[in-house]
Amino acid sequence: MARPHPGPRNGTGRRAVVMAALGCALTVAALTGCGGGDGDSGSTPPPTTSAPDTASLSGTPPSALASKAASAIASARASASAAASSASARASEFEASVEAEAARSSAAAEDALKDVKGRGNALSEVGMKGLPREETSGLLAALVTITNKTDDTASYAVRVDFEDTSGKVVETRFVGAEDLEPGEKEQPIAFSRQPADARLTPRLAQAQRY
């Protein structure tokens, strides 16, 4: 029976095993070499150098909030200014339209009275009283109340004289009401254009229904 071949083959095998183990040890050392030198066996992940994904973050940076707040305040102020300007424009338009209508009504009343003799046919349907100056910004004014006491639709023309203390007519104003239904009432105001300190008394001079 042949004897097994001595050591060389077994020695070569052992050397191969040792070399393999050494290679594995070197590989492990290389992989763990970035760890701290304090003996900690855990591994430390490499630092992140890319910027964080802000799309998944919630909230708004303070600077952006301040910018939005300033923009909202500016927008609100602009809207308020525009609204105030618009209101002022509408008030001016309304005042102008009222003055234009008063001028038209005054002209119509004056025209209706130009051929009337005496005091007219509607004195019983017209009343008048002076308005306190504190209610008219110091102007002398008379509130004229016109009431249609007939059974038909009618228009009215009224003449108001402003007299001084001697009874002299200093100023004449005309007011009127058009197309009043039976029982309907209207109250135009006759304003004097004389200085506020003038001592004048309004007097109902004529009232004509037509």
Side-chain angles (χ1 to χ4, degrees):
M1 175 179 298
R3 298 177 60 185
H5 195 277
R9 178 176 299 186
N10 291 337
T12 303
R14 284 193 295 271
R15 285 195 298 272
V17 171
V18 171
M19 293 300 293
L22 180 59
C24 290
L26 292 174
T27 302
V28 171
L31 292 175
T32 60
C34 293
D38 56 0
D40 187 0
S41 60
S43 61
T44 303
T48 301
T49 59
S50 60
D53 182 10
T54 58
S56 63
L57 301 179
S58 62
T60 306
S63 59
L65 288 175
S67 178
K68 287 184 178 180
S71 177
I73 292 173
S75 177
R77 287 176 176 172
S79 298
S81 177
S85 178
S86 177
S88 177
R90 290 196 301 270
S92 297
E93 291 174 0
F94 177 74
E95 182 179 3
S97 67
V98 169
E99 290 179 353
E101 175 58 24
R104 188 202 63 77
S105 179
S106 176
E110 184 176 3
D111 185 68
L113 286 169
K114 65 182 181 181
D115 295 326
V116 173
K117 305 299 182 184
R119 302 189 64 191
N121 61 10
L123 286 176
S124 63
E125 298 173 70
V126 178
M128 187 182 69
K129 68 175 182 178
L131 292 175
R133 290 180 184 265
E134 57 268 21
E135 296 180 6
T136 62
S137 300
L139 297 176
L140 178 61
L143 177 67
V144 180
T145 301
I146 302 171
T147 305
N148 183 358
K149 297 180 181 180
T150 71
D151 296 328
D152 301 312
T153 299
S155 296
Y156 294 82
V158 177
R159 172 186 159 190
V160 177
D161 288 340
F162 289 90
E163 302 175 346
D164 62 15
T165 55
S166 66
K168 177 184 177 182
V169 176
V170 177
E171 182 180 19
T172 297
R173 304 290 287 167
F174 296 92
V175 296
E178 298 177 333
D179 301 323
L180 292 185
E181 298 292 334
E184 188 177 3
K185 178 173 66 176
E186 194 164 316
Q187 292 182 303
I189 299 176
F191 285 96
S192 170
R193 296 178 180 176
Q194 299 301 307
D197 58 352
R199 294 178 176 273
L200 302 176
T201 302
R203 182 175 68 86
L204 179 58
Q206 286 181 308
Q208 181 73 16
R209 180 179 61 254
Y210 63 97

